[in-house]
Amino acid sequence: MNKAARGSLLGIEHLEAKEILSLLTQARRMNPRKPRPLLRNKRVLLLFYEPSTRTRASFEIAAKSMGAMTTLVLSSGSSIEKGESLLDTAYTLRAVGADIMVIRHPNAGAPLLMATHLDVPVINAGDGMHEHPTQALLDAYTILRHKKTLTGLQMAIVGDIYHSRVARSAIHLLSKFGARITLCGPPEFLPEVATSLAPGLHITRTVEEAVRGADAVMVLRVQKERLAGTKLRLQDYISRYQLTTARLKLAKRDVILMHPGPIIRGLELTWEVADCPQSVIVEEVHNGVPVRMAILAKALGKAN
Ligand code: NCD
């Protein structure tokens, strides 16, 4: 197989710890309010085959705040709707002068396919159930603003782990730094094989066990249509797995509550928990901008 284009960020799994640290250090130097024109005259193509609010907006703001031009291509309203293949779309966008492509796609491996056929860096903004590396980086960045280190961090991840690219990338990243990760969810959303994702993963079937003593709790979105495919009724999910104030109290006093968004209040977490002082959900979104600035600048060889 061809090699992926230089500068591409396709996943966390194959990154080295030092590459992750270097991106996080670079992100700390980025200030979207006092930008430096590192990407002047660069054309950033944002190719979104799936809905997105946070990821799309923060990539766009990150790119623009460094002086780049951005073009957004959505699957609806483009030639993708007419049946154009991913690679033909990619070649077309390269031909109009893209210097880098950011892609979100429902199929795992779509960014890799593009990166092996193009001569410009490709950034994975979420591919199917595979990875969401930029989310994992902004999550690590957020944790490190509240905790000294990732090593030994007690992390609980609750919800639909199986379908979650956010969980997969977070697990890869955190386990590279020696975090202790506990996964919790119904068996349909958390098969035992999940423990093979990284060494030292634990599974618990009760939220209470997962959250007890945690330094950080990450709650994942649960899609009602996916629940419908399981034996679990919505009400059962809520009573067994919803993060409530009482459950969050079992964590350490200085716990941080994370969620990649979009949150569904009243389902995976209560209204009260969504707005509790321990919540860093809005901060995660905020941190997405400097982290994505660092990712774009590094990918184009413009980081310093
Ligand atoms: C997530 C995604 O699309 O993977 N959202 C995000 O990018 N912050 C999580 C989700 O949609 O549940």
mmCIF file of all heavy atoms in Angstrom, residues 54-55 104 132 135 165-166 221 260-262, ligand 1:
data_model
loop_
_atom_site.group_PDB
_atom_site.id
_atom_site.type_symbol
_atom_site.label_atom_id
_atom_site.label_comp_id
_atom_site.label_asym_id
_atom_site.label_seq_id
_atom_site.Cartn_x
_atom_site.Cartn_y
_atom_site.Cartn_z
ATOM 1 N N ARG A 54 -19.342 21.233 16.471
ATOM 2 C CA ARG A 54 -18.103 21.629 17.155
ATOM 3 C C ARG A 54 -16.860 21.427 16.305
ATOM 4 O O ARG A 54 -16.033 22.328 16.150
ATOM 5 C CB ARG A 54 -17.879 20.759 18.408
ATOM 6 C CG ARG A 54 -18.678 21.093 19.587
ATOM 7 C CD ARG A 54 -18.982 19.803 20.364
ATOM 8 N NE ARG A 54 -20.131 19.201 19.725
ATOM 9 C CZ ARG A 54 -21.369 19.504 20.058
ATOM 10 N NH1 ARG A 54 -21.589 20.292 21.058
ATOM 11 N NH2 ARG A 54 -22.379 18.985 19.403
ATOM 12 N N THR A 55 -16.726 20.213 15.763
ATOM 13 C CA THR A 55 -15.485 19.873 15.055
ATOM 14 C C THR A 55 -15.328 20.780 13.836
ATOM 15 O O THR A 55 -14.260 21.348 13.597
ATOM 16 C CB THR A 55 -15.530 18.383 14.642
ATOM 17 O OG1 THR A 55 -15.814 17.612 15.806
ATOM 18 C CG2 THR A 55 -14.222 17.927 14.042
ATOM 19 N N ARG A 104 -14.404 14.293 7.588
ATOM 20 C CA ARG A 104 -15.251 13.456 8.455
ATOM 21 C C ARG A 104 -16.069 12.565 7.531
ATOM 22 O O ARG A 104 -16.670 13.041 6.566
ATOM 23 C CB ARG A 104 -16.174 14.314 9.306
ATOM 24 C CG ARG A 104 -17.269 13.477 9.946
ATOM 25 C CD ARG A 104 -18.011 14.215 11.014
ATOM 26 N NE ARG A 104 -17.170 14.391 12.187
ATOM 27 C CZ ARG A 104 -17.640 14.772 13.370
ATOM 28 N NH1 ARG A 104 -18.920 15.016 13.540
ATOM 29 N NH2 ARG A 104 -16.837 14.923 14.401
ATOM 30 N N HIS A 132 -11.200 9.336 16.248
ATOM 31 C CA HIS A 132 -11.471 10.777 16.222
ATOM 32 C C HIS A 132 -10.284 11.431 16.928
ATOM 33 O O HIS A 132 -10.378 11.909 18.056
ATOM 34 C CB HIS A 132 -12.778 11.047 16.968
ATOM 35 C CG HIS A 132 -13.373 12.400 16.737
ATOM 36 N ND1 HIS A 132 -12.685 13.442 16.156
ATOM 37 C CD2 HIS A 132 -14.619 12.888 17.021
ATOM 38 C CE1 HIS A 132 -13.465 14.506 16.098
ATOM 39 N NE2 HIS A 132 -14.647 14.188 16.607
ATOM 40 N N GLN A 135 -10.276 14.962 18.608
ATOM 41 C CA GLN A 135 -11.072 15.011 19.849
ATOM 42 C C GLN A 135 -10.244 14.466 21.016
ATOM 43 O O GLN A 135 -10.237 15.041 22.111
ATOM 44 C CB GLN A 135 -12.356 14.193 19.671
ATOM 45 C CG GLN A 135 -13.239 14.142 20.901
ATOM 46 C CD GLN A 135 -13.979 15.449 21.196
ATOM 47 O OE1 GLN A 135 -14.401 16.140 20.280
ATOM 48 N NE2 GLN A 135 -14.130 15.784 22.459
ATOM 49 N N ARG A 165 -16.083 6.417 18.260
ATOM 50 C CA ARG A 165 -14.710 6.713 17.829
ATOM 51 C C ARG A 165 -14.025 7.621 18.846
ATOM 52 O O ARG A 165 -12.801 7.594 18.990
ATOM 53 C CB ARG A 165 -14.739 7.359 16.449
ATOM 54 C CG ARG A 165 -15.628 8.601 16.371
ATOM 55 C CD ARG A 165 -15.908 8.970 14.940
ATOM 56 N NE ARG A 165 -16.823 10.084 14.810
ATOM 57 C CZ ARG A 165 -17.569 10.304 13.734
ATOM 58 N NH1 ARG A 165 -17.519 9.471 12.721
ATOM 59 N NH2 ARG A 165 -18.350 11.347 13.663
ATOM 60 N N VAL A 166 -14.813 8.405 19.576
ATOM 61 C CA VAL A 166 -14.232 9.272 20.610
ATOM 62 C C VAL A 166 -13.610 8.398 21.699
ATOM 63 O O VAL A 166 -12.473 8.622 22.134
ATOM 64 C CB VAL A 166 -15.309 10.196 21.229
ATOM 65 C CG1 VAL A 166 -14.756 10.980 22.410
ATOM 66 C CG2 VAL A 166 -15.873 11.141 20.180
ATOM 67 N N ARG A 221 -22.495 10.027 24.171
ATOM 68 C CA ARG A 221 -23.865 10.153 23.662
ATOM 69 C C ARG A 221 -24.435 8.767 23.370
ATOM 70 O O ARG A 221 -23.728 7.863 22.925
ATOM 71 C CB ARG A 221 -23.832 10.954 22.364
ATOM 72 C CG ARG A 221 -25.172 11.206 21.736
ATOM 73 C CD ARG A 221 -25.028 12.281 20.683
ATOM 74 N NE ARG A 221 -24.254 11.822 19.535
ATOM 75 C CZ ARG A 221 -24.794 11.491 18.357
ATOM 76 N NH1 ARG A 221 -26.094 11.562 18.180
ATOM 77 N NH2 ARG A 221 -24.023 11.115 17.367
ATOM 78 N N PRO A 260 -17.977 14.577 24.744
ATOM 79 C CA PRO A 260 -17.540 15.178 23.475
ATOM 80 C C PRO A 260 -18.615 16.021 22.812
ATOM 81 O O PRO A 260 -18.333 16.802 21.890
ATOM 82 C CB PRO A 260 -17.216 13.962 22.605
ATOM 83 C CG PRO A 260 -18.035 12.837 23.178
ATOM 84 C CD PRO A 260 -18.115 13.124 24.652
ATOM 85 N N GLY A 261 -19.871 15.884 23.258
ATOM 86 C CA GLY A 261 -20.985 16.565 22.603
ATOM 87 C C GLY A 261 -21.341 15.835 21.314
ATOM 88 O O GLY A 261 -20.511 15.092 20.790
ATOM 89 N N PRO A 262 -22.514 16.016 20.788
ATOM 90 C CA PRO A 262 -23.611 16.749 21.390
ATOM 91 C C PRO A 262 -24.197 15.990 22.581
ATOM 92 O O PRO A 262 -24.291 14.755 22.536
ATOM 93 C CB PRO A 262 -24.642 16.838 20.242
ATOM 94 C CG PRO A 262 -24.303 15.691 19.318
ATOM 95 C CD PRO A 262 -22.852 15.439 19.468
HETATM 96 C C1 NCD B 1 -18.624 13.085 18.370
HETATM 97 C C2 NCD B 1 -18.466 12.481 17.001
HETATM 98 O O1 NCD B 1 -19.022 12.952 16.015
HETATM 99 O O2 NCD B 1 -17.743 11.510 16.937
HETATM 100 N N1 NCD B 1 -18.813 14.446 18.413
HETATM 101 C C3 NCD B 1 -17.737 15.298 18.274
HETATM 102 O O3 NCD B 1 -17.046 15.301 17.294
HETATM 103 N N2 NCD B 1 -17.456 16.118 19.292
HETATM 104 C C4 NCD B 1 -19.467 12.306 19.288
HETATM 105 C C5 NCD B 1 -20.896 12.027 18.923
HETATM 106 O O4 NCD B 1 -21.375 12.416 17.879
HETATM 107 O O5 NCD B 1 -21.552 11.390 19.753
#
